Amino acid sequence: MEPKYIRLENIKIEYLVSELYDFSKPGVISIPGILTTEAINDLERIARLNSDLFIEIPRYEGTEEQEMQTLYLDKIKESKISLESLSILDQFKNEYREIYRQIAQKAKFDEDDFNKIGFHRYSEGSLGITPHQDYENHINLISFFNITGDSNFYFCEDKEKKGSKKLDSSPRSLILLRAARNRDEYQHRPYHYIEPMKNERLSLNVRKKN
């Protein structure tokens, strides 16, 4: 059956693994147009329906500064989310799980599934998020499905934005970010940041927490 939410023809597994886990490369890649129009509509509707469940994230975390709200399924009781929302998210997870497992097999992850999925929301006027590496205990692969918003997403070499390069983070795109598969790879986590918001930005993030 044809996937409802993810356009599989845009996924090239060998190319993705080569770009992400060759440490001579930045370890971050954008795939434009991967989400269907139906995915955008359904995911945005879920975020609106459950808007009151978003949690404000502390502005300062170490040297990182951010202004955003999140809604992660593992942080709330499922009974608080509508059955329609859960059905849509289950369908989305099942479609992406097939892709994730192919990447996991090719990139030799210890485990071939993710266990965290949730929305990140940046309100209009938010400062975004300053250069940072994601948590050490978020392993293997981090995935950002971009739903709304047009503020720029960058990767760079350090917290000072050295060598900054912009990625396509337009709605319907997917950004994949290398995460460490073991302790020896912690140093290879890409620095990245998002510029201040011109309008609301919404993404669905998929992760594996150790």
Side-chain angles (χ1 to χ4, degrees):
M1 187 172 65
E2 191 73 17
K4 184 178 182 180
Y5 294 134
I6 299 175
R7 297 176 59 194
L8 297 180
E9 67 269 22
N10 289 3
I11 301 291
K12 310 297 181 188
I13 299 297
E14 288 195 11
Y15 171 72
L16 295 179
V17 171
S18 172
E19 290 295 306
L20 291 169
Y21 300 100
D22 177 344
F23 297 137
S24 68
K25 299 178 180 180
V28 56
I29 190 169
S30 174
I31 310 170
I34 194 170
L35 293 177
T36 65
T37 300
E38 194 164 6
I40 294 294
N41 292 339
D42 283 358
L43 293 173
E44 187 174 7
R45 186 165 75 254
I46 290 174
R48 304 300 175 215
L49 287 172
N50 299 284
S51 182
D52 59 324
L53 299 178
F54 277 79
I55 299 169
E56 190 76 32
I57 297 302
R59 182 170 180 131
Y60 297 98
E61 189 164 341
T63 60
E64 175 186 331
E65 188 176 3
Q66 57 197 353
E67 275 187 316
M68 68 173 175
Q69 302 90 38
T70 65
L71 170 56
Y72 274 95
L73 295 188
D74 61 313
K75 297 290 187 182
I76 58 175
K77 293 180 179 179
E78 283 196 359
S79 60
K80 292 186 175 182
I81 302 179
S82 70
L83 291 177
E84 178 193 10
S85 298
L86 291 173
S87 176
I88 290 169
L89 288 170
D90 282 344
Q91 172 74 25
F92 189 91
K93 286 190 289 185
N94 288 337
E95 289 186 22
Y96 188 51
R97 186 171 284 116
E98 294 304 312
I99 299 166
Y100 189 98
R101 284 177 173 168
Q102 290 180 58
I103 295 173
Q105 182 179 19
K106 192 72 177 177
K108 297 181 172 58
F109 296 173
D110 285 340
E111 299 180 49
D112 66 354
D113 204 356
F114 49 83
N115 59 11
K116 283 184 72 69
I117 183 167
F119 293 94
H120 285 200
R121 183 176 66 194
Y122 297 85
S123 301
E124 182 178 352
S126 160
L127 63 79
I129 187 166
T130 57
H132 66 285
Q133 294 171 301
D134 279 317
Y135 297 116
E136 290 180 353
N137 65 346
H138 289 183
I139 62 172
N140 297 330
L141 179 66
I142 296 170
S143 313
F144 306 125
F145 290 91
N146 298 300
I147 302 168
T148 65
D150 56 11
S151 290
N152 294 324
F153 184 108
Y154 292 85
F155 65 92
C156 53
E157 297 176 28
D158 57 28
K159 293 178 182 178
E160 306 304 319
K161 302 184 180 180
K162 179 181 177 182
S164 289
K165 293 185 179 179
K166 184 169 69 172
L167 280 180
D168 184 344
S169 59
S170 58
R172 298 178 60 181
S173 65
L174 165 64
I175 291 177
L176 295 175
L177 205 67
R178 175 171 63 219
R181 294 168 293 184
N182 54 62
R183 289 179 177 273
D184 293 336
E185 294 182 359
Y186 286 164
Q187 63 182 312
H188 298 296
R189 292 169 295 142
Y191 283 91
H192 54 288
Y193 62 97
I194 304 175
E195 286 192 330
M197 300 299 119
K198 305 171 188 174
N199 45 40
E200 184 180 84
R201 176 187 179 89
L202 182 69
S203 66
L204 184 68
N205 293 14
V206 180
R207 301 165 183 260
K208 170 69 173 180
K209 184 176 181 180
N210 202 359

